[in-house]
Amino acid sequence: MAWQAIWNEAKALRLPARISDAPLRGLTLWLELSGPRRPQPRHGRLRPRQVPLRLWRGAGDNPAEAITLYLMPDNALRLTHGDIDLSTAPDVLRTGETVGIRYVTCSEGRHDAFEVTNFDRGLAQSLRAGLPQQVSLATAFPGDPRYLNIAHIAAIAPSYVPATDLPGIESGAIVETAQGPRPVDALQAGDLLCDAEGELRPLRWIEARPRLCIGRTAPMRLRAPYFGLARDLVVTPQTRLLQTGPVVDYLCGTEAVLAQVGDLANGRAVFRDRQQAVRNFYHMMLDDPACILIEKCAIETAHLGDVMALGDPQISPHAAPAERDMTASLPLLDRATARALLTAVSRAA
């Protein structure tokens, strides 16, 4: 079980039997929170005091060793944890905006990461300390229940949990292969998959990763019969769908394009699915990006560039991907164009 503790709007969805002080080799903390309002000026001050706001602090016996997060006066986020002290660029979190924070710490200093994603402005920053740091569950658990009112989503795993911001499909989805339809759970590197053109392509990498499916990290449900689906399909928001047809040609000036699922959410054909707190999603990579048939829907696999951008330690840091490994196999629509296309296709139907 990767995520041992999960809170949603201050309600505990999953908790361990006890909060242990035993040292861990690694730990992953996920927080989703909104920028709080600054205190109003008092005692005749023209402006409020410019002081850091503490958004989170762990429950460890030694406050200096607990994982602590601050919102600084310049709207930067600062994380302290023992010898680790990392700060983002200014203006990363304004009042009312929502950010996702992924902090990974490692007792060997190899896989640490402090990643901040501003969901409202599409900003992302990633920092590393490169320092070994001892950690336990206690140093990450909220030291005060009121922190759970600030971080409306919180989750803790007593190990390194790889990032899941990749194109991916939920466990159980059916993939067209050279041996016929097979569940994605049964696929292995080397299997031949059918692409949208009917050609066979070898699968080079596949991995299942547990994904938090609440808040802004929730996956997207594609409803049948939209997109040619025979049954509903649940995918990550980063998944890219192949779009073809006369409406595509008219709006985009080309026969085929890709649209990111997260840009297509309309509450009808595509919507966020928060039915389960954690699910397994499979991420796949071919030699070159291509669209394969999943539940008879053409979906592009992950690029090497997608995986490397997340700093995955399983991918060699010395890898030098070619341009085709970093870009979509077809033109990728921006959000506005993707939404316009979805509206036009719905009206035509």
Side-chain angles (χ1 to χ4, degrees):
M1 184 182 296
W3 298 100
Q4 283 199 357
I6 303 174
W7 295 269
N8 185 3
E9 303 296 346
K11 178 182 179 182
L13 303 183
R14 180 181 295 176
L15 289 176
R18 66 186 185 92
I19 303 174
S20 174
D21 289 323
L24 302 169
R25 294 186 61 185
L27 180 141
T28 304
L29 171 66
W30 170 264
L31 301 174
E32 184 179 305
L33 52 87
S34 298
R37 292 185 179 277
R38 290 285 180 180
Q40 295 299 312
R42 295 185 295 178
H43 308 302
R45 294 178 183 271
L46 296 178
R47 291 185 296 178
R49 295 178 59 194
Q50 295 296 298
V51 297
L53 299 178
R54 191 164 57 212
L55 306 179
W56 187 269
R57 185 168 71 184
D61 294 333
N62 184 354
E65 298 297 325
I67 298 172
T68 307
L69 181 70
Y70 299 94
L71 178 63
M72 306 304 289
D74 60 358
N75 289 335
L77 287 171
R78 178 187 177 193
L79 184 140
T80 63
H81 176 208
D83 295 331
I84 295 175
D85 190 339
L86 298 169
S87 294
T88 67
D91 202 35
V92 75
L93 177 59
R94 302 170 184 168
T95 300
E97 294 181 338
T98 301
V99 296
I101 298 164
R102 177 175 175 263
Y103 175 58
V104 180
T105 183
C106 173
S107 63
E108 299 176 350
R110 295 181 180 179
H111 305 319
D112 70 295
F114 176 41
E115 300 167 352
V116 178
T117 302
N118 184 306
F119 295 114
D120 297 295
R121 283 186 282 152
L123 303 177
Q125 294 190 37
S126 180
L127 302 169
R128 286 200 62 198
L131 297 174
Q133 186 64 50
Q134 290 297 324
V135 68
S136 67
L137 282 177
T139 60
F141 263 70
D144 189 307
R146 288 175 292 183
Y147 290 128
L148 295 171
N149 295 322
I150 301 173
H152 44 88
I153 303 292
I156 302 171
S159 61
Y160 166 74
V161 176
T164 56
D165 296 335
L166 290 167
I169 58 176
E170 189 181 16
S171 172
I174 302 301
V175 181
E176 295 294 329
T177 74
Q179 291 76 37
R182 297 174 62 192
V184 64
D185 314 58
L187 298 182
Q188 300 179 31
D191 288 343
L192 297 177
L193 310 184
C194 299
D195 68 11
E197 304 297 326
E199 297 183 6
L200 297 178
R201 295 178 177 266
L203 178 62
R204 295 306 184 192
W205 173 80
I206 182 169
E207 184 175 309
R209 297 181 176 182
R211 181 184 180 90
L212 283 172
C213 299
I214 51 180
R216 296 291 188 96
T217 61
M220 314 300 294
R221 179 173 290 272
L222 308 178
R223 287 185 58 202
Y226 299 100
F227 310 108
L229 291 167
R231 62 173 185 169
D232 290 1
L233 176 64
V234 182
V235 301
T236 63
Q238 296 79 19
T239 302
R240 298 175 285 261
L241 299 183
L242 175 65
Q243 301 287 286
T244 60
V247 177
V248 172
D249 196 1
Y250 175 74
L251 285 180
C252 307
T254 185
E255 295 181 354
V257 295
L258 295 170
Q260 191 163 273
V261 173
D263 296 334
L264 298 174
N266 63 357
R268 184 180 178 185
V270 182
F271 58 91
R272 291 197 179 271
D273 189 334
R274 299 183 174 96
Q275 296 182 40
Q276 301 176 46
V278 179
R279 304 183 190 181
N280 276 338
F281 281 79
Y282 281 83
H283 310 285
M284 296 180 285
M285 189 165 60
L286 310 177
D287 287 331
D288 299 312
C291 294
I292 61 174
L293 295 178
I294 303 173
E295 301 287 357
K296 301 189 182 301
C297 178
I299 294 178
E300 190 186 49
T301 55
H303 308 164
L304 177 58
D306 292 330
V307 181
M308 291 186 66
L310 298 178
D312 196 306
Q314 295 185 16
I315 301 296
S316 170
H318 304 292
E323 183 177 354
R324 66 176 181 272
D325 300 321
M326 305 289 289
T327 57
S329 57
L330 291 165
L332 179 63
L333 302 182
D334 58 29
R335 175 171 295 186
T337 307
R339 297 299 294 272
L341 176 61
L342 183 63
T343 300
V345 170
S346 300
R347 289 175 177 173

